Amino acid sequence: MDTITDLPVIDAIDTHADPRQADPPQARFAALLDRHRGIVLKVAHGYCRDTEDRRDLLQDISVQAWRAFPAFDPSRSRFSTWLYRIALNVAISQVRRSQLRRQHHASLDDEAMASLPDPAAHGPDGADAGIRALHAVIDRLDPLNRALMLLYLDERSHREIAEILGISEGNVATKLHRLRQRIREELDPPATPRTP
């Protein structure tokens, strides 16, 4: 499994250095990022199935968070909310770049790709079929809806989701209702009547 400590930005900060010599903002950032690494990992896993792509995304999120850290104001938002916003923005940007690249390059056959085993899957065959099916549906969502669903699955409140995504709480509720309905329909399509 990928870990946030594998990232170069953390190595550059050197969390094992003598605390009397460590630069306070660097040490504070490293500690906060380590404490909230689950957010970055969830976003990376939500947007990338390939291990190398996921590592690239983890690195990009960490670098962007480090660059933006001087502007972080704890009186305006919690670090977790701030980090979620950065992680999702970086992930959505990466998805858009990837889509542009795919438009200019020949893509592999979707059915052939779907038949490949999911390296992120855990457990015996069939044990996680429902989870893999849910991930497949989420993977097909546009970047904003994917972010919305990942935040919902992470049990974030409508208020926090609204703050992270920059939309109203009412919009969050409406979009989530529609997304849950859409996902239910895709996971359990209505049976079509048989014709004799």
Side-chain angles (χ1 to χ4, degrees), residues 2-23:
D2 301 318
T3 61
I4 203 78
T5 56
D6 293 337
L7 301 176
V9 74
I10 298 301
D11 293 339
I13 292 171
D14 189 12
T15 57
H16 302 292
D18 182 357
R20 294 170 298 199
Q21 296 176 354
D23 187 28

Side-chain angles (χ1 to χ4, degrees), residues 92-103:
I92 289 168
S93 293
Q94 187 181 68
V95 166
R96 288 181 180 146
R97 281 191 308 270
S98 177
Q99 288 171 343
L100 284 173
R101 253 184 267 123
R102 271 188 256 132
Q103 288 175 354

Side-chain angles (χ1 to χ4, degrees), residues 11-188:
D11 293 339
I13 292 171
D14 189 12
T15 57
H16 302 292
D18 182 357
R20 294 170 298 199
Q21 296 176 354
D23 187 28
Q26 291 175 333
R28 195 168 124 232
F29 175 76
L32 285 167
L33 188 61
D34 186 52
R35 188 175 322 133
H36 298 283
R37 70 178 169 256
I39 291 170
V40 180
L41 292 171
K42 285 176 192 172
V43 170
H45 282 275
Y47 281 84
C48 298
R49 293 287 167 241
D50 178 69
T51 303
E52 291 303 315
D53 290 342
R54 200 166 36 246
R55 282 192 182 125
D56 288 346
L57 181 56
L58 286 167
Q59 180 177 341
D60 289 349
I61 291 169
S62 296
V63 168
Q64 289 304 321
W66 170 244
R67 287 180 181 157
F69 188 66
F72 170 64
D73 181 0
S75 67
R76 291 178 42 128
S77 69
R78 295 184 319 193
F79 184 80
S80 60
T81 302
W82 178 84
L83 184 60
Y84 243 127
R85 181 175 285 197
I86 288 175
L88 289 169
N89 284 336
V90 171
I92 289 168
S93 293
Q94 187 181 68
V95 166
R96 288 181 180 146
R97 281 191 308 270
S98 177
Q99 288 171 343
L100 284 173
R101 253 184 267 123
R102 271 188 256 132
Q103 288 175 354
H104 298 289
H105 294 87
S107 63
L108 294 173
D109 179 54
D110 287 338
E111 289 180 314
M113 290 300 290
S115 69
L116 293 174
D118 182 1
H122 304 289
D125 291 340
D128 296 321
I131 292 171
R132 284 194 304 270
L134 176 61
H135 280 289
V137 172
I138 291 172
D139 287 347
R140 291 191 298 269
L141 296 174
D142 63 86
L144 177 63
N145 283 330
R146 189 183 309 178
L148 188 65
M149 188 51 59
L150 290 172
L151 290 166
Y152 171 74
L153 292 173
D154 196 29
E155 299 179 359
R156 298 293 171 160
S157 69
H158 286 193
R159 181 175 173 210
E160 190 171 4
I161 292 171
E163 186 179 336
I164 291 168
L165 297 179
I167 59 178
S168 71
E169 285 185 58
N171 200 352
V172 168
T174 301
K175 286 180 172 291
L176 280 173
H177 175 75
R178 290 178 184 158
L179 275 172
R180 287 190 307 260
Q181 184 177 359
R182 176 179 165 189
I183 289 172
R184 255 192 307 274
E185 289 170 0
E186 287 192 42
L187 291 176
D188 192 24

